[in-house]
Amino acid sequence: MSAMARGWITAAQLAAFDAAGTDAHRIFSDGDGWVERLAEDALISHKTDGARDAMREALAEWCAVSGWQPRRIFGKLLPRQNEDRDPPVLLTGDAALPLTGEVREDGVRYGLDFAAGYSAGLFLDQRMNRAFIRRAAPKRMLNTFAYTCSFSVVAALAGAETVSADLSRKSLDRGKANFSLNDLDPDAGHKFIADDVLEVLPRLARREKKFDAIVLDPPTFSRGNKGRRWQVEQHLEDLVIATMELAAPRARILVSTNCTKLQFADLERVARFALKFHRRAGDVHREAQPPDFPPGHGARTLWISLRG
Ligand SMILES: C[S@@+](CC[C@H](N)C(=O)[O-])C[C@H]1O[C@@H](n2cnc3c(N)ncnc32)[C@H](O)[C@@H]1O
């Protein structure tokens, strides 16, 4: 491979990640998949077996140039249907090594578990949004669809009291472990609610709870309590409206989706509709695309900043 070929991060980018205390980032991206560095391991996400084999070969060449060597390589099929999602499989490396470990992002530690399911524990495309939360330093933060609570961890590190809600108690337990990894006491000013976000939001509103930052990063499809089906394309507007009810003056709300049918313009339309519905003034902006995510890769995200 001549120097760093198209789609692969450069030596300077790799050095910048190391200098920033980040060892969880993309190494390569294209239309057939991508390669991530997760601490000492690499994970190849591929649409086809052919794409996996090509990325594996190119990774070996990139490693020879960059000087970074993974101790293991995992592979994960990117299926057409969510139902076909499987955990990563070990392609090379010592099968006796533990499948759990940790990564760092901007010096913050997060647990990983390659056996826990399709996702190992940290969504790398949200790095700039986590950094935004940390800079914004909210006093009270609500993290809906919290998964392993990475947004809550950065908010707590900036001094916030946090509420994290997710249907999966297991994910919230991993979130608490992420607090502990960063010397934060998960029982000191933080709540973890294992419940359907669609029920949590009105409950918090009835109690007149207000938050300075709210994260809304729902899945494309969800089956909530009582088997209720929820689909982001149809229900995002209702969700943003319900969320804005809980927003304190000058609050920031992150709206994020992986649904490929929703683009930034759709999120902006939903955000402006919710502002109008609540008769509140606000601005919308996007954080910069992470440098290791080419255009078209990663979630579509938008911040609403309330003016009052
Ligand atoms: C896309 S992940 C969120 C990722 C998270 N924002 C992050 O950056 O780490 C979606 C999460 O939503 C949760 N979930 C799905 N439907 C839900 C519902 N109705 N109520 C609460 N959580 C739900 C899943 O358990 C999963 O953890």
Side-chain angles (χ1 to χ4, degrees):
M1 186 166 45
S2 60
M4 303 279 182
R6 210 175 140 75
W8 294 84
I9 64 165
T10 62
Q13 285 176 310
L14 182 64
F17 280 125
D18 282 332
T22 297
D23 63 14
H25 56 81
R26 286 255 183 117
I27 300 175
F28 170 77
S29 312
D30 83 358
D32 292 327
W34 53 84
V35 184
E36 289 163 341
R37 170 193 181 190
L38 295 169
E40 295 177 89
D41 299 314
L43 172 61
I44 299 177
S45 299
H46 54 92
K47 289 189 179 164
T48 62
D49 289 355
R52 177 199 59 207
D53 296 344
M55 283 189 271
R56 230 173 123 171
E57 220 168 274
L59 174 63
E61 291 177 38
W62 181 83
C63 288
V65 176
S66 69
W68 182 76
Q69 288 291 340
R71 72 178 171 168
R72 293 179 292 193
I73 301 176
F74 291 88
K76 181 170 88 175
L77 181 69
L78 299 164
R80 283 178 192 278
Q81 316 262 14
N82 277 2
E83 306 82 82
D84 300 332
R85 288 177 162 192
D86 284 324
V89 293
L90 184 66
L91 300 176
T92 58
D94 185 352
L97 284 171
L99 291 171
T100 52
E102 68 174 70
V103 290
R104 283 175 314 130
E105 178 184 275
D106 294 330
V108 182
R109 298 163 69 184
Y110 300 99
L112 278 195
D113 186 350
F114 287 106
Y118 183 70
S119 303
L122 185 69
F123 289 104
L124 309 187
D125 56 349
Q126 298 287 2
R127 189 185 311 119
M128 307 304 254
N129 290 325
R130 279 186 286 268
F132 180 79
I133 280 280
R134 214 168 166 188
R135 284 198 307 279
K139 286 203 170 64
R140 300 155 295 178
M141 198 260 202
L142 172 63
N143 187 5
T144 65
F145 307 99
Y147 184 46
T148 55
C149 307
S150 64
F151 280 105
S152 315
V153 169
V154 285
L157 283 170
E161 295 190 341
T162 66
V163 175
S164 304
D166 198 287
L167 268 183
S168 162
R169 188 173 293 281
K170 259 192 195 158
S171 295
L172 293 177
D173 285 344
R174 294 179 69 193
K176 288 184 192 176
N178 279 334
F179 272 69
S180 303
L181 264 183
N182 291 285
D183 298 323
L184 294 163
D185 180 352
D187 298 319
H190 306 290
K191 288 199 173 67
F192 300 84
I193 306 173
D195 205 347
D196 186 342
V197 164
L198 299 191
E199 296 188 10
V200 172
L201 292 176
R203 210 154 64 217
L204 293 172
R206 277 195 299 277
R207 293 188 203 144
E208 299 190 356
K209 295 284 183 196
K210 297 287 177 209
F211 298 90
D212 308 298
I214 305 177
V215 171
L216 274 184
D217 180 21
T220 301
F221 298 101
S222 162
R223 202 178 279 277
N225 284 348
K226 303 167 197 140
R228 177 171 51 194
R229 278 176 64 83
W230 187 89
Q231 202 182 1
V232 73
E233 281 165 87
Q234 284 168 22
H235 298 110
L236 186 63
E237 200 164 87
D238 294 343
L239 187 62
V240 177
I241 287 173
T243 299
M244 214 174 265
E245 187 85 32
L246 301 168
R250 306 184 66 77
R252 325 279 200 152
I253 303 171
L254 174 67
V255 185
S256 172
T257 183
N258 276 312
C259 174
T260 47
K261 291 185 187 146
L262 290 175
Q263 295 306 317
F264 180 75
D266 301 304
L267 299 189
E268 184 165 2
R269 184 186 46 73
V270 166
R272 297 214 182 275
F273 182 81
L275 285 166
K276 206 167 159 194
F277 181 93
H278 283 287
R279 296 170 194 244
R280 294 183 78 169
D283 303 299
V284 299
H285 89 276
R286 277 194 267 195
E287 283 299 281
Q289 180 83 350
D292 48 335
F293 280 73
H297 282 254
R300 261 79 50 223
T301 71
L302 161 153
W303 284 96
I304 307 172
S305 298
L306 294 172
R307 284 195 221 128

